[in-house]
Structures are given as structure tokens and as C-alpha cells.
């Protein structure tokens, strides 16, 4: 399968959120990790945290990925399975989850894939995450900002996004 070059990735970002003591920290990761699932997981493993390390990835105006590394466990959430048609990193997420790419008949639906309870223990349940992922009026960065607010690290997350320019 050919990896598509989508050219301008100026809207893409990857951030890592982790807890130190009682406070959340958020750092920006290299933009190259928005297209490299294995590299992203490796980077998240480098940041130990008491509640696991959370990767938040926004790819353009198209979709987002949440990755949580907790000990040896890796949980993944992809906001839209149809992104796998155009984006290699979305295909990589589906491969990791052992989910087939959607058929042509399924391309008219925006459906998430993966662990809907990925951050339920931190305050965002499955129903809310599913509703946020399915809200077509929100861009991926807006959904991730909303998620960061519900999890308690909105200020740190916004500071990181503002630093991007």
C-alpha cells in the first residue's frame, strides 16, 4: 500500500500528558510522530507516570488519536476509522488493534475504533469520548482541547498549543 503524502502538516501535532506528583505536565512531541505510531509509543514509554502517559495526536482537520501507555500496556483510540483510507498512521492504529480497514460501503460513516474507555479512570467515560469523536462540528484539536479540560490539564495543553504559533 502506498503512503500518501499530504504535504502541509502545519496543523498536525503530538503532545504527551503525564502526571508528576499531583500535577499534570504537557509537552509537545516532534511533529514527525504524528505519522509514526511506533515512534510515538516509544516516546511515550520514555516518560514514566503514576497514571500512565497519554499521547494526544491531531492530524490536520481529519482525525485524532489517543495513545495511553501504562506499564507494559498500550491502549489506542482512533476517532475515525475512515481515516485509514488516506493516512498510514490510521492504518497502523487499526493494524495494532487488529481491525480491518473499512469497506467502501462503510466510508460514509464516522466511527471510532479502539479503547473507548482509554481515559475513563481519569474522568472521561466511554459515552462522552464517543460523542466527542462523533461531533463533526469540532476539529480534532478542539476535541483534544475538550478532552484535556475534562481530564484536568487544559491550561498546560493550551500553553503547548499556543507555543506552536
Amino acid at each position: 500500500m502506498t503512503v500518501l503524502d499530504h504535504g502541509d502538516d502545519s496543523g498536525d501535532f503530538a503532545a504527551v500528558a503525564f502526571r508528576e506528583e499531583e500535577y499534570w505536565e504537557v509537552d509537545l512531541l516532534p511533529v514527525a510522530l504524528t505519522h509514526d505510531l511506533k515512534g510515538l509509543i516509544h516516546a511515550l514509554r520514555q516518560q514514566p507516570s503514576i497514571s500512565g502517559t497519554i499521547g494526544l495526536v491531531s492530524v490536520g482537520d481529519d482525525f485524532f488519536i489517543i495513545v495511553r501507555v501504562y506499564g507494559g500496556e498500550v491502549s489506542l483510540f482512533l476517532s475515525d476509522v475512515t481515516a485509514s483510507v488516506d493516512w498510514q498512521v490510521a492504518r497502523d492504529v487499526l493494524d495494532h488493534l487488529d481491525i480491518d480497514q473499512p469497506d467502501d460501503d462503510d466510508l460514509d460513516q464516522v466511527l471510532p475504533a479502539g479503547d473507548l474507555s482509554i481515559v475513563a479512570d481519569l474522568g472521561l467515560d466511554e459515552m462522552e469520548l464517543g460523542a466527542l469523536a462523533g461531533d463533526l462540528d469540532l476539529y480534532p484539536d478542539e476535541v483534544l482541547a475538550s478532552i484535556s479540560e475534562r481530564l484536568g490539564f487544559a491550561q498546560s495543553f493550551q500553553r503547548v498549543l499556543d507555543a506552536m504559533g
Side-chain angles (χ1 to χ4, degrees):
M1 196 170 278
T2 304
V3 177
L4 299 177
D5 179 10
H6 293 278
D8 181 23
D9 61 0
S10 61
D12 299 357
F13 69 84
V16 57
F18 56 95
R19 288 188 72 138
E20 280 203 8
E21 304 296 321
E22 296 178 23
Y23 302 100
W24 282 98
E25 298 286 333
V26 179
D27 291 320
L28 205 56
L29 294 170
V31 72
L33 294 180
T34 62
H35 304 289
D36 179 5
L37 181 62
K38 287 182 183 179
L40 177 65
I41 292 169
H42 178 75
L44 296 176
R45 284 195 169 125
Q46 303 307 306
Q47 186 60 58
S49 173
I50 58 173
S51 58
T53 304
I54 301 169
L56 304 166
V57 177
S58 175
V59 179
D61 294 341
D62 296 311
F63 65 99
F64 67 90
I65 301 167
I66 301 173
V67 180
R68 187 168 182 193
V69 175
Y70 191 71
E73 297 290 316
V74 175
S75 298
L76 296 168
F77 177 81
L78 174 65
S79 65
D80 180 7
V81 296
T82 64
S84 65
V85 172
D86 294 325
W87 299 91
Q88 180 63 49
V89 69
R91 285 192 293 276
D92 293 343
V93 170
L94 292 183
D95 287 346
H96 192 276
L97 295 169
D98 199 25
I99 296 174
D100 293 331
Q101 264 190 262
D103 298 357
D104 288 341
D105 297 336
D106 298 325
L107 294 180
D108 59 347
Q109 299 179 36
V110 175
L111 296 173
D115 185 359
L116 279 165
S117 64
I118 192 166
V119 288
D121 63 317
L122 299 174
L124 183 66
D125 68 29
E126 296 92 342
M127 294 293 288
E128 281 185 285
L129 181 56
L132 284 168
D135 189 338
L136 301 179
D137 292 331
L138 296 175
Y139 290 107
D141 62 321
E142 295 171 326
V143 175
L144 292 176
S146 182
I147 290 169
S148 73
E149 183 177 340
R150 286 178 167 87
L151 299 182
F153 55 85
Q155 287 181 334
S156 298
F157 183 74
Q158 191 59 51
R159 195 172 10 224
V160 165
L161 292 187
D162 291 345
M164 285 176 30

